[in-house]
């Protein structure tokens, strides 16, 4: 039989996997897998297990939030071999699951995770770390990792909104030199993100056109400072309407980009704190990991 390692974060999303194990394991077994279950014991444990045991299995599946998926992807990127990867979303926002057309019901997601619809997707490298779908700095970026887990469990996405409102009272601008093959800019920015996702923060349509998750390119959005609440509203309107003539932000695609700042900038990687650095070098690792995807996303990717 094929061998499968199932890595589960028991604390993600209000303990979302509680009572769902039998249904998921049944789906794995029906797909022809001999299942090994591993329950994470703390931060970075998923990375260690994925890295050390990747060579023993034909597929690895993880259940948890975007942070858990990030840990497993990091482990696979550091492993000598990379089996295909399935994902059962069990966090609060689960942005990457939306990009892969994976349902929220664990048993349904398990069928996809153990299925044969596979696609090699891009992974981002941030200095010496990795991310699945977003590296970002500035206003709101600290919300995801600053929001207490208890609040996430009780209030869900509303907890992020509460923390976000607090962030509006202290919008800091960072002076940065941004360089890529396509663009060189030195200016002040209040927000920046490098992404490979159709959804950010649980909200779709941030980027102005379609996103391919396997094209070797990241989408980059840089936002200039705003002076008052009215300008902030105009900025939001420009982003939501994809007004590419706007002077309030810059948008482009690239495979490699560097950020050199006057001061250290705190970054978030897939919703978790990624460290504070003066220089960030971000590279697109094209089609680095093969994911099990939903039917709709498989078709969309294969058509590109």
């Amino acid at each position: 039989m094929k061998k499968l390692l199932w890595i589960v974060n028991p604390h993600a999303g209000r303990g979302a996997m509680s009572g769902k194990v039998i249904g998921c394991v049944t789906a794995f077994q029906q797909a022809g897998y001999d299942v090994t279950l591993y329950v994470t014991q703390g931060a970075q444990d998923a990375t260690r297990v994925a890295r050390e045991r990747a060579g023993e299995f034909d597929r690895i599946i993880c259940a948890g939030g975007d942070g858990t998926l990030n840990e497993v992807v990091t482990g696979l990127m550091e492993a000598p071999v990379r089996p295909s990867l399935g994902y059962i979303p069990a966090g609060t926002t689960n942005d990457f699951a939306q990009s892969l057309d994976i349902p929220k019901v664990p048993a349904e997601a398990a069928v996809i995770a153990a299925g044969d619809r596979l696609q090699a997707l891009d992974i981002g490298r941030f200095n010496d770390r990795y991310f699945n779908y977003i590296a970002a700095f500035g206003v709101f970026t600290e919300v995801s990792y600053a929001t207490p887990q208890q609040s996430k469990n009780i209030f869900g996405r509303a907890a992020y909104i509460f923390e976000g409102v607090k962030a509006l009272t202290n919008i800091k601008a960072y002076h940065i030199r941004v360089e890529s093959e396509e663009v060189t800019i030195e200016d002040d920015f209040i927000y920046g993100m490098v992404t490979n996702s159709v959804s950010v923060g649980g909200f779709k349509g941030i980027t102005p056109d379609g996103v391919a998750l396997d094209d070797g390119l990241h989408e980059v959005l840089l936002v200039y400072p705003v002076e008052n609440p009215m300008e902030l509203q105009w900025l939001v309107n420009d982003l939501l309407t994809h007004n590419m003539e706007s002077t309030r932000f810059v948008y482009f695609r690239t495979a490699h980009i560097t950020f050199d700042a006057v001061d250290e900038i705190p970054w978030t990687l897939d919703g978790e704190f990624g460290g504070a650095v003066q220089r960030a070098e971000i590279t697109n690792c094209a089609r680095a990991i093969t994911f099990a995807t939903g039917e709709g996303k498989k078709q969309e990717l294969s058509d590109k």
Side-chain angles (χ1 to χ4, degrees):
M1 294 180 69
K2 298 176 294 183
K3 293 185 177 181
L4 182 154
L5 174 61
W6 188 24
I7 300 174
V8 179
N9 178 354
H11 303 296
R14 309 183 183 98
M17 292 308 300
S18 178
K20 308 296 194 303
V21 172
I22 292 178
C24 292
V25 171
T26 299
F28 302 155
Q29 292 176 337
Q30 290 176 344
Y33 285 101
D34 180 24
V35 182
T36 297
L37 171 63
Y38 183 85
V39 179
T40 59
Q41 303 299 300
Q44 307 307 315
D45 194 32
T47 295
R48 179 190 62 79
V49 172
R51 179 180 61 247
E52 294 178 357
R53 304 196 63 184
E56 302 174 29
F57 298 91
D58 301 289
R59 182 163 302 183
I60 291 180
I61 295 176
C62 71
D66 291 326
T68 304
L69 180 62
N70 175 278
E71 288 194 24
V72 173
V73 164
T74 297
L76 290 180
M77 292 296 290
E78 296 172 350
V81 296
R82 299 172 189 166
S84 54
L85 177 61
Y87 180 38
I88 298 176
T92 305
T93 55
N94 304 309
D95 282 310
F96 204 65
Q98 293 191 47
S99 293
L100 299 188
D101 195 32
I102 297 174
K104 297 179 180 179
V105 178
E108 296 176 6
V111 173
I112 292 174
D116 58 3
R117 291 184 178 274
L118 304 175
Q119 179 68 35
L121 303 183
D122 302 340
I123 297 297
R125 182 180 177 94
F126 176 93
N127 290 344
D128 60 349
R129 299 184 59 176
Y130 296 95
F131 63 95
N132 304 316
Y133 74 96
I134 185 169
F137 70 86
V139 63
F140 292 127
T141 56
E142 73 277 12
V143 168
S144 58
Y145 59 79
T147 304
Q149 183 64 48
Q150 184 177 8
S151 297
K152 294 179 186 179
N153 292 342
I154 296 173
F155 298 110
R157 188 176 299 170
Y160 292 100
I161 297 175
F162 295 153
E163 292 295 325
V165 171
K166 295 179 185 177
L168 283 177
T169 63
N170 185 27
I171 299 179
K172 181 177 180 178
Y174 298 94
H175 190 78
I176 310 172
R177 180 177 176 82
V178 181
E179 292 187 83
S180 72
E181 182 178 344
E182 299 78 8
V183 173
T184 297
I185 309 172
E186 183 169 351
D187 214 323
D188 292 338
F189 300 101
I190 60 171
Y191 178 77
M193 69 178 186
V194 180
T195 67
N196 192 45
S197 174
V198 300
S199 171
V200 175
F203 300 96
K204 295 185 178 182
I206 299 295
T207 50
D209 49 15
V211 173
L213 306 181
D214 59 351
D215 61 357
L217 299 173
H218 280 124
E219 285 68 44
V220 180
L221 176 69
L222 303 171
V223 178
Y224 292 110
V226 293
E227 300 296 331
N228 53 59
M230 182 62 71
E231 285 193 11
L232 179 62
Q233 183 60 56
W234 291 338
L235 166 64
V236 171
N237 290 341
D238 284 347
L239 290 171
L240 294 179
T241 60
H242 305 154
N243 177 18
M244 299 309 294
E245 302 301 320
S246 175
T247 59
R248 299 182 177 89
F249 65 85
V250 178
Y251 173 84
F252 58 97
R253 288 187 169 101
T254 189
H256 179 265
I257 189 170
T258 58
F259 297 80
D260 288 287
V262 174
D263 302 311
E264 287 189 341
I265 299 178
W267 286 76
T268 177
L269 305 179
D270 294 339
E272 303 294 331
F273 182 56
V277 297
Q278 279 186 277
R279 178 178 175 82
E281 180 177 8
I282 299 177
T283 304
N284 185 294
C285 303
R287 302 192 174 197
I289 289 183
T290 299
F291 284 84
T293 70
E295 182 172 357
K297 182 54 61 180
K298 172 67 177 179
Q299 184 64 39
E300 176 183 330
L301 289 167
S302 62
D303 287 345
K304 293 185 182 299

